[in-house]
Amino acid sequence: MDFTPTEEQTAARDLAARIFTDLATHERLTATGTGSDPELWKALTGAGLVGAVEELGLLGLVLLLEEQGRTTAQVPYAASCVFGILAVAAHGTRDQRERLLPGLRDGSLVAVGAFPAQPDVRASAPGGPEEAQGAATAELTGTVPVVPWLRDATHVLVADGRRRLWLTPLAAGATVTPVDLTAPWSAGRLTLDRADAERLGTGEPPQDTGAYDDILATARTAFAGLQAGVCAGSLARAVTHANSREQFGRPLATRQAVQLKAADAHLDTEAIRVTAYEAAWRRDAGLPYATHALTAAWWASEAGQRVVHTGQHLHGGTGADLDHPVHRHFLWGRQLDAYLGCGSEALQELGKLIAHGE
């Protein structure tokens, strides 16, 4: 395996780093509050960094999300790329690709995901009470308690209790109620009352199951890459603080306890990064990667929360300040710890896959 970025991936990563660094400043993030930054989203789409994900692949997306995580930039980048561009490109019909991808690429459409599968969402045939069986369209009824970036979305990819995938526009029949999460992800509660929806892809049951598994694994890999960036940003702030802050006439960084804490955090961050890279590379290469995505998700959850706790700890009393930039990394790290399944859930799923020889 070779995780060396291509020339195109490297150029895209460097451009993303410049845009995030320039626009996702502490002052702008503070002013944004819990919402997203439309100017930053416009800059990313204008630079082609959203539409380029189709060609850059999942590994390219992971590299770009690392840069977002370093700055905790508040845009629905991961969600729209995973549940929109990559999902429609890989599993949509020709009509869906032609109709939806142009808007997803230029940012005029934003897709988010009601994932994992939602047992309370029911799909019925249009105009009737019977359940939709293999139909291309349906009406969705039910409630999804939390959907990250829902307040920014134009479309939601909903996985119902049978792991069938439905694309529904946020129009009549879909109600969004703002919800506050640990991280400022513009989240909302989605209430569906016979909302119009179309099946992603052909609608045949075998394709449904495979598409759901692929998109969930893709999401776990992508958000593990985002967590790697969040952890790297937290650790970088902690190292800067430890080198500049003096105690008893010596920088904090000269203390062995501080060095060991920082070293452990660095190793945890690298473990998140390399497992995310491997899972992404395998998907791009057309290899099985379900177990690798779960491995990356486990590291992102278990190691991620350790790193962001260390980032705050190494700041001492400064880290207790809720307005300090490092606290934002802490909030993101804890939110990513639980998103799409916490570490124990990922480990349980991984054990089942290994037991069945998958």
Side-chain angles (χ1 to χ4, degrees), residues 111-132:
V112 297
F115 269 64
Q118 303 295 319
D120 294 333
V121 174
R122 181 174 60 87
S124 57
E130 68 275 9
E131 185 179 10

Side-chain angles (χ1 to χ4, degrees), residues 48-355:
L49 290 175
V50 178
V53 168
E54 283 179 87
E55 297 180 2
L56 297 176
L58 183 53
L59 180 56
L61 177 58
V62 165
L63 293 170
L64 297 175
L65 291 177
E66 274 192 81
E67 301 306 323
Q68 180 186 3
R70 291 180 199 275
T71 58
T72 60
Q74 291 173 202
V75 284
Y77 195 28
S80 198
C81 287
V82 169
F83 300 115
I85 289 178
L86 294 181
V88 173
H91 303 288
T93 63
R94 180 177 179 179
D95 171 70
Q96 288 170 336
R97 293 194 298 270
E98 292 178 349
R99 178 162 40 89
L100 297 172
L101 284 177
L104 290 167
R105 292 179 189 129
D106 65 24
S108 58
L109 300 180
V110 174
V112 297
F115 269 64
Q118 303 295 319
D120 294 333
V121 174
R122 181 174 60 87
S124 57
E130 68 275 9
E131 185 179 10
Q133 296 285 351
T137 59
E139 294 176 339
L140 301 184
T141 301
T143 300
V144 185
V146 176
V147 180
W149 292 286
L150 182 62
R151 283 178 274 163
D152 298 328
T154 60
H155 291 72
V156 184
L157 181 61
V158 181
D160 67 18
R162 297 179 61 185
R163 299 188 174 189
R164 296 174 299 186
L165 301 174
W166 305 94
L167 271 169
T168 181
L170 289 179
T175 303
V176 175
T177 305
V179 172
D180 289 331
L181 299 182
T182 301
W185 285 1
S186 299
R189 177 183 293 107
L190 178 64
T191 303
L192 300 164
D193 183 12
R194 302 195 71 86
D196 293 335
E198 60 178 310
R199 188 79 67 91
L200 180 67
T202 64
E204 297 297 326
Q207 283 85 345
D208 265 342
T209 302
Y212 172 81
D213 290 340
D214 176 55
I215 294 170
L216 180 57
T218 298
R220 283 171 164 160
T221 303
F223 282 98
L226 185 61
Q227 181 75 301
V230 170
C231 291
S234 176
L235 183 57
R237 291 187 183 278
V239 169
T240 299
H241 175 80
N243 278 296
S244 60
R245 179 79 170 181
E246 289 193 0
Q247 187 180 63
F248 305 114
R250 295 168 56 192
L252 288 174
T254 63
R255 308 290 176 178
Q256 187 178 44
V258 172
Q259 294 171 0
L260 291 175
K261 279 281 190 180
D264 285 342
H266 172 72
L267 290 175
D268 273 338
T269 301
E270 288 302 299
I272 300 169
R273 177 182 288 117
V274 74
T275 52
Y277 283 6
E278 182 178 12
W281 174 83
R282 290 182 67 88
R283 182 189 187 275
D284 292 342
L287 300 171
Y289 75 109
T291 56
H292 302 79
L294 282 167
T295 301
W298 182 85
W299 275 104
S301 176
E302 295 290 317
Q305 57 90 14
R306 287 198 298 266
V307 173
V308 295
H309 273 270
T310 296
Q312 286 227 142
H313 186 195
L314 292 181
H315 277 78
T318 306
D321 183 355
L322 301 185
D323 294 324
H324 194 283
V326 77
H327 187 67
R328 190 175 290 108
H329 290 269
F330 174 77
L331 296 177
W332 277 64
R334 290 314 308 256
Q335 189 69 58
L336 287 165
D337 165 24
Y339 185 50
L340 298 178
C342 64
S344 59
E345 292 173 315
L347 195 61
Q348 184 179 32
E349 280 191 57
L350 181 60
K352 290 179 180 178
L353 288 180
I354 293 174

Side-chain angles (χ1 to χ4, degrees), residues 5-20 44 47-50 52-53 55-56 60-61 63-65 67 77:
T6 64
E7 185 177 340
E8 292 77 12
Q9 289 171 337
T10 300
R13 180 191 61 193
D14 293 345
L15 177 57
R18 289 197 296 272
I19 292 175
F20 285 128
L44 290 170
L49 290 175
V50 178
V53 168
E55 297 180 2
L56 297 176
L61 177 58
L63 293 170
L64 297 175
L65 291 177
E67 301 306 323
Y77 195 28

